[in-house]
Amino acid sequence: MKNITLDVTKAVQFLAEGTVKAYEPKVKEAQDALEKGTCPGNDFLGWLHLPSSITPDFLQEIQACADVLRANCEAIVVAGIGGSYLGARAVIEALSNSFAWLVGDKKNPAILFAGNNIGEDYLSELTAYLKDKKFGVINISKSGTTTETALTFRLLKKQCEEQRGKEEAKKVIVAVTDAKKGAARAAADKEGYKTFVIPDNVGGRFSVLTPVGLLPIACAGFDIRQLVAGAADMEKACGSDVAYEENPAAVYAAVRNGLYAQAGKKIEIMVNYQPKLHFMSEWWKQLYGESEGKDNKGIFPASCDFTTDLHSMGQWIQQGERTIYETVISVEKPNSELLFPNDEENLDGLNFLAGKRVDEVNKMAELGTRLAHVDGGVPNIRISVPELNEYYIGQLIYFFEKACGISGNILGVNPFNQPGVEAYKKNMFALLDKPGYEAESKAIKERLASEK
């Protein structure tokens, strides 16, 4: 099978000649630091060789649990936030029928996502929707105390037990959590839920290929074996023994760092021309934003869905401040075929497209936009994906993960921590008078009073 491919020709033209080659020693040093575990955050490198280490027996255990949920649930709610849901949602949305929620899918349960916000209306509407449904819950939380997820799980656990009975609920509630400690682990052991472990050495945003992502994806009816196979093949293609110019993760990391450090490109826009990839961009934004945005450094990750956002953001991208570059994910072959129809009156003037595939029009929109944006001073990186299936999505996931690890090391930050995420939580807990935050509560309330 083919691999996803990387084209950086429309990006390197914005760099001084020889820049990408000059990054080779930095990339090699970054890769060596990952392989030898000498980089900052080296206790979170479990993702590095995860695809090749996953066994058939492990995948069978995940599939068996998914089969139980699928057989007993009309809907399955994935309760998690950040890396505990974005990867699974990215894969499921990329592979699902865009209108499954409208037309209904008789073969597969509906996969719903919650625990990723504190929206009272959202949760109220979710619980109302589930009132007449046989539903199950996959609770994904290492600690079990993350506010958004813990709040949601309380609501869903209570409702599931009331609707299905406590014993039946035990069969359809699964915890993906820490091996030994934390509130979620304690609750799962007490209630007798089926559990899967989040490895200690894999951070949330790198956890798609652990049970965090694999279980929901299997519940949605997709082939997790092919997903892992694609990732494992990309692990080989991005290995430290692969020649620098032939290693897509190495080249991507080098080019984006060159654009950042030498060309003043501070913002990377992830672009797709396939609506199914919207949540892949959302997952990518967390992966790079949380990994690189620290020590007052880091490329800001943004995303656009084209051609949709060309009618809203296109003007800014074409002629706004020249601090941006684009990375375009292009899907070579759609899974369907639809021809543009002829119209006798031709009032819209589009008969020149009659008989052409819709995807051909889309591809010309992509090419035309890339050329226009490059002419407008926007470097373009292009990632070509042969088609949307489990195998190539697996490749895409590992490619971005490996490039992120290399890129963060080149940048000189710890790509595997997220200390800044805690700042808002401390303020929120202080404002809510959480026990143990008495001093912080007093201080923040005095501050707010003084600012009135």
Side-chain angles (χ1 to χ4, degrees):
M1 296 180 75
K2 296 192 296 184
N3 283 345
I4 63 172
T5 55
L6 183 72
D7 179 3
V8 297
T9 55
K10 299 296 185 187
V12 297
Q13 68 186 66
F14 290 85
L15 298 171
E17 187 175 353
T19 295
V20 178
K21 183 66 176 175
Y23 266 92
E24 184 173 1
K26 294 181 181 179
V27 168
K28 185 178 187 307
E29 183 180 352
Q31 281 191 294
D32 286 346
L34 289 172
E35 290 293 341
K36 295 174 183 176
T38 57
C39 60
N42 54 25
D43 48 343
F44 283 96
L45 292 174
W47 59 272
L48 188 60
H49 296 297
L50 179 61
S52 59
S53 70
I54 295 174
T55 66
D57 287 346
F58 178 69
L59 290 178
Q60 181 53 44
E61 183 185 359
I62 296 233
Q63 189 62 58
C65 179
D67 290 344
V68 171
L69 289 170
R70 286 167 55 80
N72 291 280
C73 298
E74 299 169 80
I76 300 169
V77 184
V78 179
I81 195 168
S84 293
Y85 95 101
L86 276 172
R89 188 163 192 178
V91 176
I92 291 168
E93 297 275 349
L95 299 175
S96 294
N97 183 308
S98 301
F99 301 97
W101 58 281
L102 274 178
V103 301
D105 186 339
K106 295 179 181 178
K107 294 190 300 182
N108 301 299
I111 308 296
L112 310 173
F113 296 90
N116 50 64
N117 61 59
I118 318 177
E120 187 164 357
D121 289 342
Y122 183 92
L123 290 171
S124 178
E125 290 160 8
L126 173 66
T127 55
Y129 170 79
L130 294 171
K131 275 185 179 177
D132 61 349
K133 304 289 189 302
K134 290 183 178 179
F135 75 92
V137 184
I138 303 174
N139 187 40
I140 305 175
S141 177
K142 199 166 182 66
S143 67
T145 58
T146 302
T147 306
E148 294 88 344
T149 306
L151 170 62
T152 298
F153 182 64
R154 272 200 185 197
L155 291 168
L156 294 176
K157 175 180 180 291
K158 182 174 184 291
Q159 183 173 354
C160 188
E161 289 177 347
E162 287 175 350
Q163 290 180 200
R164 308 193 69 166
K166 200 170 180 66
E167 287 305 309
E168 185 69 20
K170 286 182 182 180
K171 299 177 184 177
V172 293
I173 297 178
V174 179
V176 183
T177 187
D178 190 87
K180 297 178 181 178
K181 61 183 184 297
R185 166 55 62 185
D189 289 346
K190 177 178 178 292
E191 299 291 350
Y193 301 147
K194 171 70 177 176
T195 63
F196 290 95
V197 171
I198 304 173
D200 285 336
N201 60 355
V202 179
R205 57 191 178 274
F206 289 86
S207 67
V208 192
L209 300 174
T210 73
V212 169
L214 294 176
L215 181 58
I217 292 164
C219 285
F222 298 115
D223 191 340
I224 55 175
R225 293 171 182 81
Q226 279 298 301
L227 185 79
V228 171
D233 284 348
M234 187 50 56
E235 180 187 328
K236 294 176 186 174
C238 298
S240 56
D241 58 337
V242 176
Y244 172 59
E245 298 85 355
E246 297 174 6
N247 183 328
V251 173
Y252 177 55
V255 171
R256 62 194 306 275
N257 274 277
L259 291 169
Y260 176 65
Q262 298 181 20
K265 304 302 181 183
K266 309 295 186 183
I267 301 167
E268 179 174 10
I269 302 176
M270 181 62 61
V271 170
N272 70 78
Y273 286 80
Q274 166 56 272
K276 291 174 180 286
L277 290 175
H278 173 84
F279 273 94
M280 183 60 67
S281 295
E282 295 299 306
W283 169 78
W284 170 87
K285 283 195 292 189
Q286 186 199 1
L287 180 66
Y288 280 80
E290 204 165 67
S291 296
E292 294 187 327
K294 53 202 70 164
D295 301 337
N296 295 317
K297 300 177 184 178
I299 300 165
F300 182 80
S303 63
C304 285
D305 300 326
F306 286 173
T307 59
T308 303
D309 290 336
L310 287 172
H311 297 262
S312 56
M313 293 298 295
Q315 172 62 41
W316 192 94
I317 295 169
Q318 187 70 47
Q319 295 182 327
E321 187 178 65
R322 301 297 77 184
T323 53
I324 59 171
Y325 67 96
E326 291 175 312
T327 297
V328 178
I329 302 178
S330 180
V331 180
E332 294 175 19
K333 180 185 174 185
N335 293 322
S336 304
E337 182 173 340
L338 187 64
L339 300 181
F340 204 86
N342 183 70
D343 186 276
E344 289 185 7
E345 295 186 7
N346 195 30
L347 295 176
D348 54 16
L350 293 179
N351 270 356
F352 72 98
L353 298 174
K356 293 182 183 294
R357 289 187 64 175
V358 171
D359 189 60
E360 182 181 350
V361 180
N362 196 36
K363 289 293 194 300
M364 292 307 100
E366 177 189 326
L367 178 58
T369 303
R370 290 187 72 222
L371 293 173
H373 287 180
V374 169
D375 289 346
V378 181
N380 259 248
I381 297 169
R382 185 173 187 260
I383 300 165
S384 184
V385 180
E387 59 185 295
L388 282 187
N389 60 27
E390 292 93 334
Y391 179 80
Y392 289 118
I393 293 294
Q395 285 200 353
L396 198 60
I397 287 167
Y398 189 83
F399 160 75
F400 279 131
E401 289 181 345
K402 184 63 179 288
C404 185
I406 296 171
S407 188
N409 280 340
I410 293 173
L411 191 61
V413 300
N414 179 348
F416 309 115
N417 68 354
Q418 53 280 339
V421 174
E422 300 305 313
Y424 91 88
K425 294 180 182 178
K426 291 177 182 177
N427 287 344
M428 179 179 69
F429 292 149
L431 290 165
L432 289 169
D433 295 316
K434 182 176 180 179
Y437 282 75
E438 288 80 10
E440 290 87 349
S441 296
K442 181 182 178 184
I444 201 167
K445 288 174 182 177
E446 288 175 353
R447 172 186 168 182
L448 292 173
S450 69
E451 291 176 355
K452 286 183 179 178

